[in-house]
Amino acid sequence: MPKKSKPLPIYVLNGPNLNLLGSREPEVYGSTTLPEIGKQVAARARQHGLTVEFRQSNHEGDLVDWIQECRTKGCGLILNAGALTHTSVALYDACRALSHPIIEVHLSNPYAREPFRHRSFISKAANGVICGLGATGYTVAVDALAALLKE
Ligand code: CA2
């Protein structure tokens, strides 16, 4: 009997300063740490029969490399690019080159904040955007991605 191949993971990528979650500004970003979010995401993904590559970097190039990696080693992307959301054409281009579904996530609601947070380079390449729900937004994003992957 032919061996069933393992499904590819969803990539959950986090940008600059998100490693600080839980240590400062809980009124803006909540008190859940990034490793805790990683565990919640993995548990939710498991319910959908999915696995997760959960990563964070403060460096734009790492995020570009990982989005490119997701082209062949992943099946979908959840991206919180942090402040790079509002500035990075490189991340926009990397997302455009990905044929898998993309969900953009933000803990806070950038549209209720400073005007410089109102522009997102990621949104134009994303299938959907979830913001303002705190850590819950990540598990909602897993549900959304799972639904898109079933289509
Ligand atoms: O709300 C989000 O998830 C953001 O992507 C977070 C970024 C911000 O630049 C975006 O506009 C919205 C900032 C992440 C910084 O995270 C910190 C966490 C704790 C303490 C300090 C920063």
Side-chain angles (χ1 to χ4, degrees):
M1 205 151 63
K3 238 179 147 186
K4 234 187 174 179
S5 59
K6 229 175 132 192
L8 296 171
I10 58 172
Y11 276 54
V12 183
L13 302 181
N14 298 280
N17 296 310
L18 286 160
N19 54 314
L20 299 179
L21 277 183
S23 69
R24 284 187 50 226
E25 299 195 65
E27 66 289 353
V28 183
Y29 300 118
S31 50
T32 313
T33 65
L34 199 61
E36 285 167 351
I37 292 176
K39 281 188 196 147
Q40 291 170 5
V41 161
R44 190 53 152 253
R46 211 172 302 123
Q47 292 174 6
H48 292 287
L50 296 166
T51 59
V52 176
E53 258 318 305
F54 191 90
R55 300 181 190 170
Q56 186 275 334
S57 176
N58 291 329
H59 306 284
E60 187 176 20
D62 285 342
L63 294 163
V64 171
D65 286 345
W66 294 341
I67 293 167
Q68 289 188 12
E69 184 184 301
C70 178
R71 284 157 50 100
T72 52
K73 298 197 171 149
C75 69
L77 173 65
I78 294 172
L79 178 61
N80 183 351
L84 292 171
T85 302
H86 316 300
T87 60
S88 179
V89 178
L91 287 182
Y92 169 63
D93 287 341
C95 285
R96 277 187 50 116
L98 189 69
S99 44
H100 307 313
I102 301 172
I103 305 292
E104 175 184 359
V105 172
H106 299 285
L107 294 149
S108 66
N109 176 0
Y111 303 101
R113 301 181 66 193
E114 305 94 323
F116 64 82
R117 297 186 201 274
H118 296 181
R119 177 178 72 173
S120 166
F121 281 93
I122 308 302
S123 295
K124 250 183 108 52
N127 296 68
V129 182
I130 295 161
C131 68
L133 302 181
T136 303
Y138 281 77
T139 45
V140 173
V142 172
D143 291 344
L145 201 55
L148 288 169
L149 288 167
K150 268 198 202 141
E151 276 176 11

